[in-house]
Amino acid sequence: MADLEALAQAIINGKAPEAKELTEKALAEGVSAAEILNNGLVAGMNVVGTKFKNNEFYVPEVLIAARAMKNAMEVLRPQLAAGGVESKGKIAIGTVRGDLHDIGKNLVAMMLEGAGFEIQDLGVDVKPEQFVEAVKNGAKVVGLSALLTTTMPAMKETIEALKAEGVRDKAYIIIGGAPVTQNYCDEIGADGYSPDAASAVDKVKELLKI
Ligand code: B12
């Protein structure tokens, strides 16, 4: 019998080969991709997120769990696409222009993917026009990451670019990164700020009312 609890546990413990194996096994036994995603992968990543928030897990544990989830997702993704499982929405995320830090951004992207969103990872040093393009292509949320005080203004420039192209209201903008604050979020007119990856998921759900 497919053991989705064991799968969730493999994610929590960061056991990538086991997570992949259990996902393959569940699929072979006829469990739906959606069920595996929700009751295995997302359930596991939810626990990871809570532990991270409560300081029971630190960045390395989260990265290892995220890697396990990524491994399992590779098996699941084609099935999800084939089965027409509805994504919770498309999110474009990137580190803003001039900034090459991506560890935190990647964590946020993985947690959001784990929560059932479709992620378009634009990478690092992302120009405002690239975010504009992503919104024109249907992103419902845009995540901007900056780790340098010198690149934070690129967040504001990105919002200005979205306004100039008339698509500012087509997506929610969330921002984060070590030097970023709620005050800065208010100042530049972003829709939300989160201090870490787990609360980024909560923030997106709150904004999208899901
Ligand atoms: C690793 C690192 C690097 C690596 C980056 C590797 C990589 N692939 O990311 C390298 C060596 C390349 C690097 C380079 C530089 N770095 Co550096 N770097 C760091 C370091 C040590 C850790 C950053 C990190 O990954 N933290 C762990 C992650 C998990 O945390 P996080 O990024 O904050 O992300 C979390 C939250 O912020 C939030 N979050 C992040 N993004 C987003 C996005 C959204 C939408 C949301 C909602 C939330 C969110 O969720 C994340 C997960 O919980 C920090 C010091 C520090 N303690 O922060 C310096 C630091 C950021 N770097 C610094 C500097 C100065 C530089 C350089 C300019 C150094 C130089 N002179 O060349 C260059 C700049 C290069 C460039 N153009 O970007 C300074 C910045 C100072 C400042 N205030 O501006 C810091 C603070 C170090 C310091 N104390 O001086 N760096």
Side-chain angles (χ1 to χ4, degrees):
M1 250 251 321
D3 191 347
L4 297 183
E5 232 169 80
L7 175 57
Q9 203 56 50
I11 299 289
I12 298 163
N13 296 337
K15 301 223 181 309
E18 197 179 317
K20 191 175 172 197
E21 212 173 284
L22 287 166
T23 303
E24 282 164 347
K25 193 162 167 256
L27 280 175
E29 286 173 16
V31 182
S32 76
E35 204 175 319
I36 299 171
L37 178 70
N38 292 325
N39 299 337
L41 306 191
V42 174
M45 278 314 271
N46 277 344
V47 175
V48 173
T50 308
K51 283 186 182 286
F52 184 60
K53 249 191 248 172
N54 297 338
N55 292 324
E56 290 170 51
F57 267 19
Y58 295 97
V59 170
E61 283 106 327
V62 179
L63 284 176
I64 293 167
R67 191 188 55 190
M69 193 200 76
K70 214 176 174 183
N71 259 34
M73 273 307 283
E74 274 160 25
V75 178
L76 212 55
R77 200 172 281 121
Q79 307 291 327
L80 284 170
V85 170
E86 286 257 323
S87 125
K88 289 205 176 97
K90 193 158 144 192
I91 301 181
I93 187 165
T95 305
V96 295
R97 181 164 59 197
D99 201 319
L100 302 176
H101 295 84
D102 69 356
I103 298 170
K105 183 265 295 170
N106 291 346
L107 269 178
V108 174
M110 299 241 192
M111 292 298 285
L112 288 168
E113 182 170 24
F117 293 94
E118 181 191 344
I119 302 300
Q120 182 185 9
D121 189 342
L122 300 171
V124 296
D125 190 17
V126 181
K127 296 178 191 61
E129 310 87 78
Q130 292 172 268
F131 287 110
V132 169
E133 198 56 33
V135 173
K136 286 184 176 169
N137 287 329
K140 293 276 162 282
V141 177
V142 172
L144 308 177
S145 180
L147 262 288
L148 300 169
T149 44
T150 49
T151 56
M152 281 168 64
M155 293 179 148
K156 185 167 189 257
E157 287 157 22
T158 301
I159 295 177
E160 297 303 330
L162 289 164
K163 281 186 189 159
E165 290 287 323
V167 292
R168 167 64 186 93
D169 295 332
K170 290 202 182 307
Y172 291 107
I173 299 167
I174 57 162
I175 62 171
V180 178
T181 60
Q182 182 62 52
N183 268 348
Y184 188 67
C185 172
D186 299 338
E187 191 186 313
I188 65 171
D191 299 304
Y193 155 77
S194 294
D196 58 59
S199 49
V201 173
D202 298 338
K203 179 58 71 182
V204 167
K205 286 184 175 168
E206 180 193 314
L207 289 169
L208 294 174
K209 299 179 184 68
I210 50 178

